[in-house]
mmCIF file with all atom_site columns, all heavy atoms in Angstrom:
data_model
loop_
_atom_site.group_PDB
_atom_site.id
_atom_site.type_symbol
_atom_site.label_atom_id
_atom_site.label_alt_id
_atom_site.label_comp_id
_atom_site.label_asym_id
_atom_site.label_entity_id
_atom_site.label_seq_id
_atom_site.pdbx_PDB_ins_code
_atom_site.Cartn_x
_atom_site.Cartn_y
_atom_site.Cartn_z
_atom_site.occupancy
_atom_site.B_iso_or_equiv
_atom_site.pdbx_formal_charge
_atom_site.auth_seq_id
_atom_site.auth_comp_id
_atom_site.auth_asym_id
_atom_site.auth_atom_id
_atom_site.pdbx_PDB_model_num
ATOM 1  N N   . LYS A 1 247 ? 37.237 53.127 -6.051  1.00 84.00 ? 433 LYS A N   1
ATOM 2  C CA  . LYS A 1 247 ? 37.491 54.507 -6.489  1.00 84.00 ? 433 LYS A CA  1
ATOM 3  C C   . LYS A 1 247 ? 37.125 55.449 -5.336  1.00 84.00 ? 433 LYS A C   1
ATOM 4  O O   . LYS A 1 247 ? 36.250 55.118 -4.535  1.00 84.00 ? 433 LYS A O   1
ATOM 5  C CB  . LYS A 1 247 ? 36.590 54.868 -7.690  1.00 84.00 ? 433 LYS A CB  1
ATOM 6  C CG  . LYS A 1 247 ? 36.919 54.119 -8.964  1.00 84.00 ? 433 LYS A CG  1
ATOM 7  C CD  . LYS A 1 247 ? 37.840 54.948 -9.819  1.00 84.00 ? 433 LYS A CD  1
ATOM 8  C CE  . LYS A 1 247 ? 38.157 54.253 -11.130 1.00 84.00 ? 433 LYS A CE  1
ATOM 9  N NZ  . LYS A 1 247 ? 38.831 55.084 -12.064 1.00 84.00 ? 433 LYS A NZ  1
ATOM 10 N N   . PRO A 1 248 ? 37.757 56.646 -5.272  1.00 85.00 ? 434 PRO A N   1
ATOM 11 C CA  . PRO A 1 248 ? 37.368 57.583 -4.206  1.00 85.00 ? 434 PRO A CA  1
ATOM 12 C C   . PRO A 1 248 ? 35.972 58.168 -4.437  1.00 85.00 ? 434 PRO A C   1
ATOM 13 O O   . PRO A 1 248 ? 35.278 58.554 -3.508  1.00 85.00 ? 434 PRO A O   1
ATOM 14 C CB  . PRO A 1 248 ? 38.440 58.682 -4.275  1.00 85.00 ? 434 PRO A CB  1
ATOM 15 C CG  . PRO A 1 248 ? 39.086 58.524 -5.608  1.00 85.00 ? 434 PRO A CG  1
ATOM 16 C CD  . PRO A 1 248 ? 38.925 57.109 -6.024  1.00 85.00 ? 434 PRO A CD  1
ATOM 17 N N   . GLU A 1 249 ? 35.542 58.215 -5.743  1.00 84.00 ? 435 GLU A N   1
ATOM 18 C CA  . GLU A 1 249 ? 34.238 58.820 -6.055  1.00 84.00 ? 435 GLU A CA  1
ATOM 19 C C   . GLU A 1 249 ? 33.658 58.170 -7.316  1.00 84.00 ? 435 GLU A C   1
ATOM 20 O O   . GLU A 1 249 ? 34.391 57.847 -8.251  1.00 84.00 ? 435 GLU A O   1
ATOM 21 C CB  . GLU A 1 249 ? 34.406 60.328 -6.293  1.00 84.00 ? 435 GLU A CB  1
ATOM 22 C CG  . GLU A 1 249 ? 33.106 61.047 -6.601  1.00 84.00 ? 435 GLU A CG  1
ATOM 23 C CD  . GLU A 1 249 ? 33.303 62.550 -6.807  1.00 84.00 ? 435 GLU A CD  1
ATOM 24 O OE1 . GLU A 1 249 ? 34.465 63.002 -6.905  1.00 84.00 ? 435 GLU A OE1 1
ATOM 25 O OE2 . GLU A 1 249 ? 32.290 63.253 -6.881  1.00 84.00 ? 435 GLU A OE2 1
ATOM 26 N N   . VAL A 1 250 ? 32.351 57.972 -7.322  1.00 83.00 ? 436 VAL A N   1
ATOM 27 C CA  . VAL A 1 250 ? 31.652 57.523 -8.529  1.00 83.00 ? 436 VAL A CA  1
ATOM 28 C C   . VAL A 1 250 ? 30.698 58.647 -8.915  1.00 83.00 ? 436 VAL A C   1
ATOM 29 O O   . VAL A 1 250 ? 29.900 59.102 -8.091  1.00 83.00 ? 436 VAL A O   1
ATOM 30 C CB  . VAL A 1 250 ? 30.869 56.208 -8.285  1.00 83.00 ? 436 VAL A CB  1
ATOM 31 C CG1 . VAL A 1 250 ? 30.176 55.748 -9.567  1.00 83.00 ? 436 VAL A CG1 1
ATOM 32 C CG2 . VAL A 1 250 ? 31.801 55.105 -7.793  1.00 83.00 ? 436 VAL A CG2 1
ATOM 33 N N   . SER A 1 251 ? 30.797 59.108 -10.166 1.00 81.00 ? 437 SER A N   1
ATOM 34 C CA  . SER A 1 251 ? 30.087 60.338 -10.519 1.00 81.00 ? 437 SER A CA  1
ATOM 35 C C   . SER A 1 251 ? 28.834 60.073 -11.343 1.00 81.00 ? 437 SER A C   1
ATOM 36 O O   . SER A 1 251 ? 28.517 58.939 -11.702 1.00 81.00 ? 437 SER A O   1
ATOM 37 C CB  . SER A 1 251 ? 31.038 61.277 -11.260 1.00 81.00 ? 437 SER A CB  1
ATOM 38 O OG  . SER A 1 251 ? 31.737 60.571 -12.248 1.00 81.00 ? 437 SER A OG  1
ATOM 39 N N   . CYS A 1 252 ? 28.139 61.160 -11.648 1.00 82.00 ? 438 CYS A N   1
ATOM 40 C CA  . CYS A 1 252 ? 26.842 61.128 -12.338 1.00 82.00 ? 438 CYS A CA  1
ATOM 41 C C   . CYS A 1 252 ? 26.932 60.378 -13.672 1.00 82.00 ? 438 CYS A C   1
ATOM 42 O O   . CYS A 1 252 ? 27.875 60.558 -14.437 1.00 82.00 ? 438 CYS A O   1
ATOM 43 C CB  . CYS A 1 252 ? 26.401 62.573 -12.563 1.00 82.00 ? 438 CYS A CB  1
ATOM 44 S SG  . CYS A 1 252 ? 24.772 62.701 -13.251 1.00 82.00 ? 438 CYS A SG  1
ATOM 45 N N   . GLY A 1 253 ? 25.947 59.532 -13.958 1.00 79.00 ? 439 GLY A N   1
ATOM 46 C CA  . GLY A 1 253 ? 25.895 58.790 -15.219 1.00 79.00 ? 439 GLY A CA  1
ATOM 47 C C   . GLY A 1 253 ? 26.582 57.451 -15.165 1.00 79.00 ? 439 GLY A C   1
ATOM 48 O O   . GLY A 1 253 ? 26.447 56.634 -16.075 1.00 79.00 ? 439 GLY A O   1
ATOM 49 N N   . ASP A 1 254 ? 27.350 57.186 -14.082 1.00 81.00 ? 440 ASP A N   1
ATOM 50 C CA  . ASP A 1 254 ? 28.144 55.951 -14.014 1.00 81.00 ? 440 ASP A CA  1
ATOM 51 C C   . ASP A 1 254 ? 27.374 54.807 -13.348 1.00 81.00 ? 440 ASP A C   1
ATOM 52 O O   . ASP A 1 254 ? 26.408 55.015 -12.631 1.00 81.00 ? 440 ASP A O   1
ATOM 53 C CB  . ASP A 1 254 ? 29.426 56.206 -13.217 1.00 81.00 ? 440 ASP A CB  1
ATOM 54 C CG  . ASP A 1 254 ? 30.663 55.983 -14.078 1.00 81.00 ? 440 ASP A CG  1
ATOM 55 O OD1 . ASP A 1 254 ? 30.551 55.197 -15.030 1.00 81.00 ? 440 ASP A OD1 1
ATOM 56 O OD2 . ASP A 1 254 ? 31.717 56.582 -13.807 1.00 81.00 ? 440 ASP A OD2 1
#
Side-chain angles (χ1 to χ4, degrees):
K433 292 265 182 170
E435 181 179 10
V436 181
S437 47
C438 186
D440 242 334

